[in-house]
Amino acid sequence: GVDASNIIREVVCLDYSENVIEAMKAEQKLRSTKKPKTSSIPLIYEVADARKLPYKNESFDLLLEKGTLDAMLSDRDGNGPENCRKIVSECARVVTSGGCMVIVSHLNAHVESGLQWLNDIVVPGLRNGAGEYGWKVEVHGAEADIPNDENEDETLPESPGPAVYIIRKGSLLPKPEKTGVHVDEEEEEDVQPSIPLRFFTY
């Protein structure tokens, strides 16, 4: 097989809780004593708030988010959606141009609730964090079953299961040419480049 260390410089694992990070470090140390080292890729554990990452712009080629947005969205204090947008915004900021964000979520955009989450949380987060770049979004997951017209009691499931979102950060977008026509600043901010969305079902 291919040695992953040829393409991966390091892996950074983050959590908000210092206790969790210390537990992960201890587990990693225990595993290393039981099994011979099979990889030379440095594995780094750091405490950080995903809403305000301590990294420079374009620091990572690949980001994996699994479950944090789902958990944050269910916050009882009512700040869940805004916190989720901040997380996506920070991920968009620190991923490199040409790099990818991978989000694993129980909110599947193959159904309306997941599509609304994509429009209300992910897209605004991308535009706020790095709106000057082009973005492409792929939705990978199961497709919702379509009820049989003959069976009126059959309803669509709330979600066909979790989805994987592969979000690619493109290059800087060209700045719009000045036409000499006065445009209101608020009106100009409302004009946003579209983000292509592709669906893949399995």
Side-chain angles (χ1 to χ4, degrees), residues 105-115 139-146 155-165 199-202:
S105 173
H106 285 289
L107 289 159
N108 191 325
H110 284 93
V111 294
E112 186 175 351
S113 58
L115 193 58
V139 184
H140 296 256
E143 193 172 22
D145 294 328
I146 299 176
T155 58
L156 282 172
E158 176 62 23
S159 173
V164 176
Y165 298 85
F199 289 87
F200 297 82
T201 58
Y202 304 95

Side-chain angles (χ1 to χ4, degrees), residues 152-173:
E152 296 181 358
D153 295 330
E154 188 176 359
T155 58
L156 282 172
E158 176 62 23
S159 173
V164 176
Y165 298 85
I166 300 177
I167 305 173
R168 304 180 190 277
K169 186 177 185 178
S171 56
L172 281 167
L173 296 170

Side-chain angles (χ1 to χ4, degrees), residues 41-95:
I41 301 173
L43 192 56
I44 302 168
Y45 295 98
E46 295 183 347
V47 178
D49 186 341
R51 297 166 297 182
K52 192 175 181 181
L53 294 172
Y55 305 111
K56 296 179 180 179
N57 295 353
E58 302 199 48
S59 294
F60 297 94
D61 297 308
L62 174 65
L63 280 85
L64 172 62
E65 190 291 299
K66 183 177 181 293
T68 304
L69 292 176
D70 287 357
M72 188 70 76
L73 196 62
S74 61
D75 275 359
R76 296 179 180 179
D77 61 7
N79 295 323
E82 181 57 29
N83 284 328
C84 286
R85 282 188 284 271
K86 288 180 180 178
I87 292 173
V88 175
S89 176
E90 280 293 271
C91 289
R93 179 183 67 80
V94 301
V95 74

